[in-house]
Amino acid sequence: MDAERWWPPFVEVAALLWIVLFVVDVAISFDLLVVSESLAATVRGVLQWLLVVFLLDLALLYRWSDSGPREFVRSNWFLVLTVVPWFRPFRLLRIGRSVRALRLLTGSRRIGSFLNKVRRKCHSLWRRLRG
């Protein structure tokens, strides 16, 4: 299937996005970052939608596997655990897949440009937070 090829890199990028937005949300909640209420609501909304992506990821991985529910959970307990967003960063320990996903995405001019903008914005936010 074609989806089985492009879905994992998409989920890895979604995990990276979730981590960035989670840090931004924490910074907003502790008043380390001052943004408009609408932007804060957008960040929280995107975090909720990313949770749906992670649940869909688990469902698709189960569907693509040849095992029953018990066997799937028993052999993929770590994967099931990482659906919970707070455990999501542990999935990035498989850094090789993440790097390949980023290389694939940065190959596209549009996405590469977007990622460069995100990188610059994060860098400027970091400089502002450091004082």
Side-chain angles (χ1 to χ4, degrees):
M1 275 183 134
D2 195 36
E4 288 182 58
R5 194 184 76 221
W6 64 262
W7 181 255
F10 171 76
V11 174
E12 295 298 327
V13 171
L16 289 171
L17 179 62
W18 188 90
I19 292 168
V20 169
L21 290 177
F22 179 74
V23 169
V24 169
D25 188 43
V26 169
I28 291 169
S29 65
F30 285 104
D31 293 327
L32 297 172
L33 185 63
V34 179
V35 297
S36 67
E37 187 56 41
S38 64
L39 182 59
T42 301
V43 168
R44 287 189 296 273
V46 172
L47 285 171
Q48 290 173 350
W49 276 108
L50 286 172
L51 177 59
V52 172
V53 169
F54 300 145
L55 291 171
L56 180 62
D57 178 44
L58 184 64
L60 286 173
L61 291 174
Y62 169 68
R63 175 94 169 119
W64 292 332
S65 77
D66 294 329
S67 57
R70 272 191 182 175
E71 185 182 330
F72 178 78
V73 170
R74 196 173 301 137
S75 62
N76 295 295
W77 64 270
F78 186 71
L79 179 70
V80 172
L81 181 67
T82 59
V83 169
V84 178
W86 296 276
F87 296 115
R88 199 70 179 159
F90 292 125
R91 213 183 231 199
L92 293 177
L93 293 175
R94 299 180 300 181
I95 195 72
R97 281 182 51 190
S98 300
V99 168
R100 280 195 309 272
L102 283 175
R103 278 190 196 145
L104 177 74
L105 288 174
T106 55
S108 163
R109 261 190 347 170
R110 180 176 280 171
I111 294 176
S113 172
F114 171 74
L115 290 175
N116 278 332
K117 287 178 186 175
V118 168
R119 183 185 56 80
R120 284 192 303 268
K121 186 65 173 176
C122 289
H123 186 65
S124 72
L125 287 173
W126 178 252
R127 277 188 276 139
R128 283 198 327 193
L129 287 175
R130 287 182 44 206

